[in-house]
Amino acid sequence: MTVEEFIDDWKESGANEESNRQLFLTQLCGILGVDAPDPARPDTRANDYVFERHVDHSAPVEQSWGSIDLYKKGCFVLEAKQGSNAPIKTEAEKLGVHEPSRSVGTARRGTKSWNEAMRSAKNQADRYAGALPGEDKTPPFLVVVDVGYCFDLYADFARQGKNYVPFPNQESYRIPFEKLSDPEVQDTLRRVWSDPLSLDPARTSTRVTKDLAESLGRVASSLEDDGYDSDRVAGFLMRCLFTMFAEDVELLPERSFTQMLKDCLGNLEAFPKAVESLWDKMNTGGFHPGLMADVKQFNGHLFEDQGALPVSEAQLRLLIKAAEADWSDVEPAIFGTLLERALDPQERHRLGAHFTPRAYVERLVVPTVIEPLREEWEGAQAAAAKLESEGDKEAARDELVAFHHRLCTLKVLDPACGSGNFLYVTLEHLKRLEAEVLDVLSDYGWNPLDMAGGERVSPEQLLGMEINPRAAKITDVVLWIGYLQWHFQTYGDADRLDPPLLQDIDNIQTRDAVLDYDDRHKRTDEDGETVTRWDRRTYKKDPTTGEMVPDESAQVPVYDYENPEPADWPEADFIVGNPPFIGAKD
């Protein structure tokens, strides 16, 4: 059977889902070139790839009923529905003539009841995934199928459960059945069946992010060798990287900054002036004659200083190489850490060292922030359903709108935010939950997310304190990059937001999270010399053992504080952060 024949056979399917799903899915396996499900065995633990996989009865009682329509261990839980394009009532039925043989399946497609049935199937698949035993638990994908109509994909690559989100995003998670003729769609479904973790975008984005950070680190080191202050170099490169990102998410004309850099190869003296003129327009907004285009106002702290450093040809070629990468693929969850290391002379040697990967960050963020909010969301939906069943649709909608308002006004604090990876991951998950809320609200004819205004989840809800000024600035940049990137990847562009695109909201504060004080003074000894200590971050190689040991020459002053008292923290609904690493020092 060809793909076209398969589509023709099934696109008009209807009636009861039990009549169709197993035949449909078996033929789909043939179209994808993957093995068909195995025969079921009496011991459910041996049923790694079967229809009607019974849920392990050691699971909680409320999750132990029923069976999974199609299950493949380590890959997916699939639930099938059978919608219909047939009218809810035929002409005969409208005239009162009963037609007992006719069935419209789950619901008429495109109706509110069909949307609710598809969401219910996803929730059911979610419960089944959580009820699977031991190592079977939480496969990477949930698949909801309306036979002959669409495939809905949800993923949880961290495999924690309770956090399956639309894959790859809220706009593209539903694959229309007719698109099965597209080789890319076939490849995606084939990998869901056979190699689901290969679809994890973090695999590509982590590599891209590391490569870009290493390139920026080489430029930073070279400019410092030329005698430029490291803070000035860091500011210059952060403006460069954000401009590279802006052109890749279409906030600047396509490849305009990259072409500007290339045009300067034969005229290095023009480089600072050309770049400063662009950054000046990014600060204020307006027409840029070099680009022959209007430039949006970015503003924020980032472009208040438009200073650009002179560069050599080798340094410029490194910048061009970085600009030619796809910055829309950068992984903000780790980019801050790597950028901090790249721009800090004392941290640069650690560029290839371990960083906290996204999955580890999610292990804290999801149960701390997202799971409680999802429970609230489930409660809001249940309350809305009850109100609607009582005939009060407006009150039902208001219940959902109230939760959306809650989502858009809550505050999350990281009191030692470093370079922002915990705050960024929190922001992304809040945006994903918001997208689900808006999807349900659309059934009520209400869409507050007009991108030119209205209430929405935004970076200003993420609060941070960080004693390192450079890390605090990086956090601010990472949050805005992640926010704009999310809109670009979800809606196809990031061009639907009101300027200034970078709000000056001072939500990331450079301050001590432990102490407030009136003033501080360097401590001196009896000879009037400044008392110092090791900076606790600089190491050198031991000439005897070859191991990295503290560098005793890296000294910083010891301070005495006037009127010290516990620091006041900003009010927040949730607190997240990376617990301090203490090793065995308990």
Side-chain angles (χ1 to χ4, degrees), residues 1 3 6-7 10 20-37 49 51 70 76 78 143 145 147-148 150-151 177 180-181 185-186 189-190 192-193:
M1 177 184 292
V3 176
F6 178 68
I7 293 173
W10 286 100
N20 287 328
R21 67 186 180 211
Q22 292 195 11
L23 177 59
F24 173 80
L25 292 169
T26 300
Q27 291 183 352
L28 174 67
C29 289
I31 293 298
L32 297 177
V34 298
D35 292 337
Y49 181 29
F51 291 115
L70 178 59
F76 60 81
L78 183 149
V143 184
V145 177
V147 172
C150 68
F151 305 89
F177 181 54
L180 192 59
S181 58
V185 169
Q186 294 175 34
L189 292 176
R190 190 177 296 115
V192 169
W193 251 256

Side-chain angles (χ1 to χ4, degrees), residues 333-447:
I334 62 171
F335 183 55
T337 300
L338 296 178
L339 182 60
E340 183 182 359
R341 291 175 185 174
L343 299 183
D344 188 333
Q346 293 180 299
E347 290 287 318
R348 199 165 292 140
H349 70 281
R350 299 182 61 222
L351 253 178
H354 173 79
F355 53 85
T356 307
R358 167 187 282 269
Y360 288 15
V361 177
E362 288 178 333
R363 287 182 189 176
L364 187 146
V365 165
V366 169
T368 304
V369 181
I370 304 305
E371 286 182 16
L373 287 173
R374 284 197 175 277
E375 289 176 5
E376 289 183 38
W377 172 228
E378 289 171 8
Q381 290 180 90
K386 183 175 185 296
L387 288 166
E388 188 170 11
S389 70
E390 295 169 352
D392 197 341
K393 186 174 180 179
E394 186 174 344
R397 186 196 66 183
D398 290 345
E399 191 77 33
L400 304 177
V401 170
F403 178 79
H404 182 254
H405 174 73
R406 152 91 164 134
L407 204 60
C408 295
T409 53
L410 63 85
K411 303 287 187 181
V412 180
L413 169 68
D414 185 342
C417 65
S419 47
N421 53 353
F422 278 76
L423 289 176
Y424 166 71
V425 170
T426 303
L427 174 63
E428 183 187 294
H429 280 284
L430 289 175
K431 292 298 291 184
R432 287 183 177 275
L433 179 54
E434 181 188 35
E436 294 178 36
V437 175
L438 297 178
D439 186 47
V440 174
L441 276 167
S442 68
D443 287 343
Y444 290 82
W446 190 83
N447 183 10

Side-chain angles (χ1 to χ4, degrees), residues 85-103:
N85 295 321
I88 297 174
K89 286 188 176 182
T90 65
E91 286 301 313
E93 288 171 326
K94 288 177 183 177
L95 295 172
V97 179
H98 184 53
E99 293 184 314
S101 62
R102 195 176 76 90
S103 170

Side-chain angles (χ1 to χ4, degrees), residues 26-27 29 59 169 175 183 223 255 283 294 334 479 484 532 549:
T26 300
Q27 291 183 352
C29 289
N169 53 56
I175 302 173
L223 288 170
R255 313 313 293 167
N283 185 49
D294 286 318
I334 62 171
L479 285 176
L484 296 171
T532 63
V549 296

